[in-house]
Amino acid sequence: MRFGHFDDSKREYVITQPDTPLPWINYLGCEAYFGIISNTAGGYSFYRDARLRRLTRYRYNNAPFDVGGRYLYLRDNDSGEFWSPSWQPTRTKLDKYECRHGMGYTTIGSSYGKIEAQTIYFVPLGETLEIWKFQVTNRRKQAARLSIFSSIEFCLWDAQDDATNFQRNFSTGQVEIVDEVIYHKTEYRERRNHFAWFACSEKLAGFDTQRDTFLGAYRSWDNPAAVERGKSFNSVAHGWAPHGSHHVKVNLKPGETREIIFVLGYHENPVDQKFDPPDSQTINKRTVKPVIAKYLDGKNVTAAFEGLRRYWDGLLGVYQVDSPDLHANRMVNIWNAYQCMATFNLSRSASFYESGIGRGLGFRDSNQDLLGFVHMVPSRARERILDIAATQLAGGGAFHQYQPLTKRGNNDIGSGFNDDPHWLTLGVATYIKETGDWSILDEPVQFENEPGSEQPLYEHLRRSFNYTLERIGPHGLPLIGRADWNDCLNLNCFSDTPGQSFQTTTNKDGRVAESVFIAGLFVLAGKELAAIAKKRGLNKEAERCLAEAAKMEKVVYRHGWDGAWFVRAYDDFGKPIGSKVCKEGKIFTESQGMCIMAGIGLKDGKAKRALASVNKHLATKHGIVLQQPAFSKYYIHMGEISSYPPGYKENAGIFCHYNPWIIISETMVGNGNRAFDYYTRINPSARENIGDRHRCEPYVFAQMIAGKDAPTHGEAKNSWLTGTAAWTYFTATQWILGIRTEFDGLRVDPVIPAKWKGFTVTRRFRGNTYVIEVRNPKGKQRGVKKLLVNGREIAGNVLPVRPPQSKPIPVEAVLEG
Ligand code: BGC
Ligand code: NOJ
């Protein structure tokens, strides 16, 4: 069952009924100001940091699920009837409803009683504000006398404090109302120099800024007193819950359309110019007024919207594919790349499943997110790498998370996740392969944000590598620490206290529990670091890295191979996890993918053997589960992984993030059919028809799909903010389609289904545009035997870097197996 359809030519997903199984959301803004918007206009906005600079309030996990947002009410002033043109919150049955989520904007259109309404929500590039462009049309035969009420609930900035500290917060709220603008200035009188503003392009019939006056006692968003009676109260908030509501009256002739612009913005004043006059408590509005005036003008709004479209044309134009598979095309060309922008910006911090207060940006997460982002805006990737690296600890370890506003490591979560440092190496390697910008390695970067501690970025990578060498366990494998990529494999935690956080509680200083996964990651990162060192002329360093990697590989063969697959770890008692000797959790996916990606087992058939085991024990029609058999009870020496009921999350759920690792591994052994089959199983577009089972948005990946042990096998959860976005993008573009960035050029090495006759990729790379046509006349899965550039055959299958030229460069590749 479907709840809408793709409109690929417009790069939109069209939702045709408002009551989707879960709110289907989109992100507004892609730089500093962000909003989350659902298909019924629910959601919230923030500046940079969803915890520390929240503009509007949101109550998660509500009933109904999604209440509170950017609401507009329409009221027929003759009949007194009112409704929400975005369906929520009145949920009046609309005659027509359509939500279109696009690249950085959302349009919600509807019709009720022959009054048509359409709102376009978006954030102009370079601005810290969001626009709601509202149009209303009278399709009746008679004139319509209408009222429009806007409604947002302001958050008192720190979302955590806002949701808990009521004894203070019910007394601090302050606003100003001047002309058609509502200014929210709570705490501006003291240490803040920022405020929010909510403006309207029309003359107001009234306003409300006190939520409970607007709603009325014991009423809710579906029947606000002001809307019901058709007249604002002109309330001025003092304490309680500051709110923003404009009331506009319009009379429309038959066929007439009116456009009304609402703008919600964030603004900062210089600290010494906060007030006007200076000795008053009144906001100095001189700096914000030009911005307000600009965006209340329809011409500027149209221009800004066009600018946003062109921006996305440019970003998506870096990689476009025309393949025989509709779902792959759609994801690669549009939605997967778009999702990567959201994960780059927000890591795992703010969605409808991440409250924005719990987690800043993850060290490992942000590094992996670069995989799907670096080709779009390399300069921002560079800046991000340097920011992340500056939070690294001097000993090579990492703060697990950091706050985007302060860019500092988050002490509450701490460190000790022993995989973390290696992801920095992979992030940097990915960046250099895309850009050829070796200079990044010489950038002086602090450790732990300590001035004076600067070292070249390269030194950070060296310490990342050494970090593992200094933490080797009894079998010679890396110690796992708090956890590795699998945050829930807490082998040193031994938690027996209800409610204690597995992620933050004090752990044993474990010297026994080891991770085969980190061993694989170490080998992979070690090979990258060796290549980087060699480029820098540090041949000894390069040799050392390769020698250590080779040594680790041997250890993996000795203690990390279980006969038919790679072991996952050793616990605190030195017993294997993910081995045939275990009762539950005999085989895990992550160590298969990571070891094979590191090249372990490729030569002697172990990789193929491990992949056959994955196929036999772990692959389901909805994707590959994390392990089997699922843990049937809580094991204190395993930690959070066994806290989940079987089939969910890390306990044998289909945790989508590592599915691409298996897909890459399949391409590495030349199995294009299976690689693409696995890719399609988790591809949200390919799952659109089972929307009632999948339930999440069909245009973005979700973190998890319930595994075969769960009663709801196939049900997705936690959409949008997941490492799956970057990894599937990277996998589809670089390993399946096989147009792969390398330090010295662009490799053409597709591994595709045998039935594909070919495909074409247009790729911008280091100043040139390549139009690469791959032909597969003999029905092979891999093996470029001939590569023609500009009609001339070249040796090998790497397109060397060449001086930029204005004309696209035609490339032809033939698969001969
Ligand atoms: C989740 C993990 C997540 C961790 C840290 C756990 O509860 O299952 O997926 O990485 O929390 O937030
Ligand atoms: C989600 C976390 O953000 C990520 O860092 C972790 O690797 C996975 N969960 C697996 O536990």
Side-chain angles (χ1 to χ4, degrees):
M1 183 180 169
R2 294 184 185 207
F3 301 89
H5 56 88
F6 287 90
D7 184 342
D8 293 333
S9 65
K10 295 207 171 94
R11 300 191 301 228
E12 290 175 338
Y13 191 82
V14 189
I15 301 166
T16 47
Q17 71 182 68
D19 52 341
T20 45
L22 289 164
W24 284 5
I25 68 173
N26 192 13
Y27 283 85
L28 309 176
C30 55
E31 295 164 324
Y33 183 103
F34 298 103
I36 302 177
I37 185 164
S38 71
N39 56 311
T40 58
Y44 60 98
S45 301
F46 55 95
Y47 171 73
R48 285 194 193 279
D49 190 313
R51 168 164 178 180
L52 299 175
R53 291 287 156 87
R54 186 80 66 102
L55 266 84
T56 58
R57 185 172 286 155
Y58 193 73
R59 294 177 189 77
Y60 299 90
N61 192 13
N62 224 325
F65 194 106
D66 174 33
V67 187
R70 301 166 182 83
Y71 291 148
L72 292 170
Y73 298 86
L74 265 168
R75 182 177 188 277
D76 185 327
N77 289 337
D78 289 319
S79 67
E81 204 180 359
F82 61 92
W83 68 99
S84 307
S86 59
W87 191 61
Q88 278 265 64
T90 65
R91 293 189 294 281
T92 311
K93 193 171 172 1
L94 298 165
D95 303 327
K96 263 197 252 159
Y97 160 91
E98 187 182 85
C99 166
R100 290 178 170 259
H101 285 317
M103 306 287 104
Y105 66 90
T106 286
T107 305
I108 302 177
S110 64
S111 173
Y112 181 73
K114 297 210 157 49
I115 301 296
E116 274 177 19
Q118 192 199 52
T119 318
I120 303 179
Y121 302 88
F122 74 101
V123 175
L125 290 170
E127 302 287 5
T128 59
L129 53 89
E130 64 184 66
I131 292 172
W132 315 357
K133 186 173 128 179
F134 175 73
Q135 272 187 351
V136 54
T137 304
N138 177 14
R139 296 277 174 225
R140 295 177 183 166
K141 294 211 171 71
Q142 322 78 28
R145 299 192 316 130
L146 304 172
S147 273
I148 294 119
F149 293 85
S150 65
S151 166
I152 50 157
E153 201 183 348
F154 290 111
C155 179
L156 309 189
W157 301 114
D158 181 330
Q160 164 92 350
D161 187 72
D162 182 75
T164 45
N165 196 7
F166 311 113
Q167 60 80 27
R168 170 180 158 87
N169 297 342
F170 283 167
S171 293
T172 55
Q174 289 193 303
V175 295
E176 286 179 31
I177 303 114
V178 184
D179 300 330
E180 327 307 325
V181 190
I182 295 166
Y183 296 87
H184 173 231
K185 62 167 191 177
T186 301
E187 291 190 351
Y188 188 76
R189 66 194 308 284
E190 32 136 341
R191 292 154 297 176
R192 294 188 187 275
N193 64 327
H194 46 265
F195 56 88
W197 52 274
F198 189 32
C200 174
S201 62
E202 296 294 300
K203 271 264 151 279
L204 300 188
F207 61 85
D208 273 298
T209 64
Q210 186 65 277
R211 182 195 64 202
D212 297 333
T213 308
F214 173 74
L215 293 179
Y218 289 90
R219 285 163 171 266
S220 187
W221 305 102
D222 56 4
N223 63 343
V227 180
E228 191 176 285
R229 73 171 196 160
K231 197 166 176 319
S232 294
F233 294 93
N234 295 350
S235 57
V236 179
H238 298 281
W240 297 112
H243 183 251
S245 175
H246 309 96
H247 175 198
V248 173
K249 284 190 171 166
V250 294
N251 293 336
L252 295 179
K253 292 198 273 291
E256 190 182 345
T257 297
R258 269 289 263 290
E259 181 177 294
I260 305 173
I261 300 164
F262 298 92
V263 189
L264 172 66
Y266 168 90
H267 193 77
E268 283 174 10
N269 267 338
V271 177
D272 56 351
Q273 292 168 38
K274 280 171 57 171
F275 302 107
D276 183 24
D279 56 357
S280 74
Q281 289 286 296
T282 311
I283 299 176
N284 167 9
K285 304 183 185 69
R286 271 170 295 156
T287 52
V288 75
K289 273 197 168 154
V291 187
I292 299 178
K294 179 171 179 190
Y295 289 105
L296 291 182
D297 180 338
K299 282 199 302 299
N300 295 329
V301 168
T302 305
F305 191 69
E306 279 313 307
L308 187 64
R309 262 198 204 284
R310 278 196 304 276
Y311 181 68
W312 276 102
D313 285 343
L315 296 185
L316 299 178
V318 179
Y319 196 121
Q320 287 287 300
V321 62
D322 181 6
S323 88
D325 188 83
L326 172 70
H327 305 297
N329 292 349
R330 186 178 271 163
M331 291 314 284
V332 167
N333 294 340
I334 308 171
W335 289 99
N336 198 174
Y338 180 63
Q339 186 179 3
C340 288
M341 173 63 91
T343 55
F344 171 82
N345 282 321
L346 301 169
S347 186
R348 312 292 168 265
S349 70
S351 71
F352 271 19
Y353 312 98
E354 300 280 8
S355 66
I357 59 180
R359 299 212 271 172
L361 308 195
F363 188 94
R364 79 156 86 86
D365 295 330
S366 291
N367 274 304
Q368 292 172 80
D369 293 340
L370 292 169
L371 291 172
F373 177 80
V374 64
H375 67 290
M376 289 196 276
V377 196
S379 58
R380 290 189 69 199
R382 188 182 209 273
E383 189 190 331
R384 174 63 52 78
I385 288 172
L386 298 176
D387 285 345
I388 302 174
T391 68
Q392 190 177 19
L393 303 170
F399 277 115
H400 197 47
Q401 290 165 19
Y402 63 102
Q403 286 308 123
L405 194 67
T406 61
K407 297 187 173 178
R408 288 182 164 264
N410 184 336
N411 254 324
D412 303 345
I413 317 284
S415 63
F417 294 78
N418 283 351
D419 63 314
D420 273 341
H422 298 297
W423 298 108
L424 179 65
T425 309
L426 297 191
V428 172
T430 309
Y431 169 79
I432 298 175
K433 287 177 187 176
E434 178 68 38
T435 59
D437 172 17
W438 291 90
S439 76
I440 193 172
L441 294 164
D442 297 315
E443 285 287 343
V445 183
Q446 295 173 352
F447 284 99
E448 221 177 313
N449 301 103
E450 276 300 324
S453 64
E454 290 82 359
Q455 291 284 335
L457 178 64
Y458 175 75
E459 174 61 20
H460 285 253
L461 307 189
R462 232 177 56 84
R463 292 197 198 175
S464 294
F465 189 68
N466 292 346
Y467 178 87
T468 287
L469 291 175
E470 289 155 15
R471 286 166 183 78
I472 295 290
H475 295 93
L477 292 161
L479 291 173
I480 194 167
R482 200 171 254 290
D484 60 21
W485 171 88
N486 189 334
D487 277 334
C488 300
L489 202 56
N490 313 121
L491 306 181
N492 292 307
C493 188
F494 291 89
S495 178
D496 60 3
T497 308
Q500 188 170 58
S501 161
F502 293 99
Q503 304 298 318
T504 57
T505 189
T506 309
N507 272 4
K508 270 175 82 162
D509 178 21
R511 302 291 166 122
V512 177
E514 300 167 298
S515 163
V516 176
F517 174 86
I518 300 181
L521 181 61
F522 172 85
V523 174
L524 183 64
K527 288 179 179 170
E528 296 288 23
L529 187 58
I532 289 172
K534 201 152 171 239
K535 267 274 175 191
R536 290 173 75 77
L538 303 169
N539 289 333
K540 277 229 169 77
E541 259 301 282
E543 276 162 29
R544 178 181 80 103
C545 294
L546 289 179
E548 292 293 355
K551 199 165 126 198
M552 187 62 77
E553 225 172 299
K554 281 210 185 100
V555 178
V556 172
Y557 282 133
R558 197 166 324 127
H559 298 293
W561 179 250
D562 199 54
W565 56 78
F566 293 99
V567 176
R568 177 63 177 82
Y570 284 89
D571 66 18
D572 188 52
F573 311 104
K575 296 237 172 64
I577 292 175
S579 154
K580 56 181 178 292
V581 304
C582 304
K583 213 169 111 257
E584 297 181 335
K586 286 173 185 289
I587 172 169
F588 279 64
T589 309
E590 309 104 289
S591 48
Q592 318 312 318
M594 191 46 76
C595 289
I596 297 170
M597 286 197 299
I600 306 175
L602 282 180
K603 291 208 182 95
D604 61 1
K606 285 196 173 62
K608 280 196 174 155
R609 189 75 213 275
L611 288 170
S613 299
V614 169
N615 189 254
K616 182 162 166 210
H617 302 291
L618 301 167
T620 77
K621 65 177 179 184
H622 296 292
I624 301 164
V625 297
L626 195 142
Q627 92 278 13
Q628 279 293 297
F631 297 115
S632 60
K633 58 178 189 201
Y634 178 59
Y635 294 103
I636 192 168
H637 64 292
M638 301 262 198
E640 184 166 356
I641 190 168
S642 60
S643 73
Y644 293 109
Y648 292 112
K649 297 279 290 180
E650 280 88 341
N651 187 12
I654 297 157
F655 212 91
C656 298
H657 185 136
Y658 56 69
N659 274 246
W661 300 345
I662 297 299
I663 300 169
I664 292 177
S665 301
E666 289 288 0
T667 66
M668 290 175 90
V669 301
N671 201 343
N673 288 337
R674 205 191 261 164
F676 197 76
D677 176 15
Y678 285 160
Y679 171 72
T680 304
R681 293 186 202 193
I682 61 164
N683 183 328
S685 162
R687 299 173 63 77
E688 189 191 18
N689 284 336
I690 52 163
D692 42 346
R693 168 123 303 232
H694 184 78
R695 301 187 80 233
C696 280
E697 298 90 328
Y699 42 91
V700 288
F701 290 90
Q703 182 203 53
M704 188 208 67
I705 298 173
K708 57 187 175 186
D709 302 286
T712 57
H713 185 32
E715 178 192 21
K717 277 188 192 144
N718 305 345
S719 60
W720 275 95
L721 299 185
T722 160
T724 316
W727 274 104
T728 41
Y729 185 82
F730 176 72
T731 301
T733 55
Q734 302 221 13
W735 291 89
I736 295 175
L737 300 170
I739 311 302
R740 185 149 70 249
T741 57
E742 295 193 347
F743 290 120
D744 295 317
L746 199 56
R747 187 175 291 276
V748 181
D749 185 16
V751 187
I752 54 173
K755 64 169 194 241
W756 282 19
K757 295 272 170 263
F759 64 91
T760 306
V761 163
T762 306
R763 175 65 154 105
R764 286 209 302 272
F765 178 69
R766 301 203 203 170
N768 279 309
T769 301
Y770 297 90
V771 181
I772 305 167
E773 200 196 325
V774 175
R775 292 193 294 111
N776 186 23
K778 297 190 180 148
K780 300 286 175 197
Q781 297 179 62
R782 173 183 216 175
V784 170
K785 280 287 143 61
K786 227 200 223 160
L787 198 62
L788 303 170
V789 182
N790 277 321
R792 292 239 291 278
E793 189 162 352
I794 65 164
N797 60 347
V798 179
L799 302 170
V801 177
R802 52 171 70 211
Q805 63 177 61
S806 54
K807 276 209 308 204
I809 302 171
V811 176
E812 207 187 320
V814 186
L815 250 58
E816 289 186 353

